[in-house]
Amino acid sequence: MVGSLVATALWAMVPAYVPNNAAVLAGGGRPIDGGRMLGDSRLLGDGKTWRGTAVGTLVGVALALVLNAINAPVSASLAFSLPTFPIHAALGLALGAMLGDIGASFIKRRSGRERGAAFPGLDQLDFVVGALLLAFVVAPDWFLATFTLPVLAVIFVITPVLHVGTNIIAYALGVKNEPW
Ligand code: CTP
Ligand code: MG
């Protein structure tokens, strides 16, 4: 029961979890804000780029398609049905995750935090909230069938743990500047 909830939560969130990590690897190039300022701070900062956002979104959608392709055998071996991703739901999760992270940078700059500064809580959940919101907007029926309240509860517990863990690993490997 708990196992199936955790498996469903992890499976459903792969297209939302991976884009930010892909963006770390793909980042660089033109910042989305083009260097523009808002007051004394950058609108978003150099850490939010067109390339990182595009690659992250595409990687998330591609992973959803891979999961769809292997869904049947994996579901059969687990003896319960894992969710499949309609293409618009996949796009909602992946793009929503990137937009949530971009929104968090906007808030960080407004609160005087420089690029790379930590904002505990926001850093761990911005992309989850963005992904879930956009998925709900573009695929409401799929969202309500997939993200039941118990699944959502599991997501909000395990996501910060996964996020902290992967970022520490990325920092240790030298691909990320800060361990958050
Ligand atoms: N990145 C990107 N485009 C995005 C998100 C991330 O190019 N939309 C890349 C950038 O190279 C960024 C790195 O991934 O520096 C790490 O992402 P993140 O921690 O979100 O950015 P920070 O540099 O820490 O900046 P911020 O303080 O705005 O979060
Ligand atoms: Mg950061």
Side-chain angles (χ1 to χ4, degrees):
M1 181 62 199
V2 174
S4 66
L5 276 181
V6 173
T8 301
L10 287 173
W11 187 274
M13 289 302 281
V14 165
Y17 284 155
V18 178
N20 290 282
N21 298 297
V24 173
L25 300 177
R30 273 163 49 86
I32 295 171
D33 68 9
R36 269 185 286 279
M37 308 285 287
L38 182 61
D40 291 334
S41 305
R42 286 281 295 277
L43 189 60
L44 299 173
D46 284 332
K48 305 296 117 149
T49 68
W50 289 109
R51 195 168 78 204
T53 307
V55 172
T57 303
L58 288 176
V59 168
V61 172
L63 272 173
L65 298 180
V66 170
L67 292 187
N68 283 347
I70 63 170
N71 186 298
V74 178
S75 290
S77 73
L78 292 172
F80 59 86
S81 295
L82 290 163
T84 53
F85 303 94
I87 188 71
H88 56 298
L91 186 61
L93 287 170
L95 181 60
M98 298 307 309
L99 292 178
D101 175 62
I102 291 169
S105 290
F106 179 82
I107 293 170
K108 286 189 191 178
R109 299 301 93 81
R110 304 287 73 71
S111 63
R113 288 172 174 79
E114 299 295 332
R115 173 189 180 183
F119 196 144
L122 193 67
D123 281 329
Q124 285 72 43
L125 289 169
D126 52 18
F127 61 102
V128 186
V129 173
L132 293 176
L133 271 179
L134 194 59
F136 177 68
V137 169
V138 300
D141 293 340
W142 176 85
F143 181 96
L144 293 174
T146 306
F147 295 107
T148 60
L149 282 181
V151 170
L152 285 174
V154 168
I155 288 169
F156 278 93
V157 172
I158 60 179
T159 301
V161 179
L162 283 174
H163 187 258
V164 169
T166 53
N167 282 345
I168 289 173
I169 292 169
Y171 175 72
L173 292 174
V175 294
K176 201 170 186 307
N177 293 331
E178 304 88 16
W180 49 78

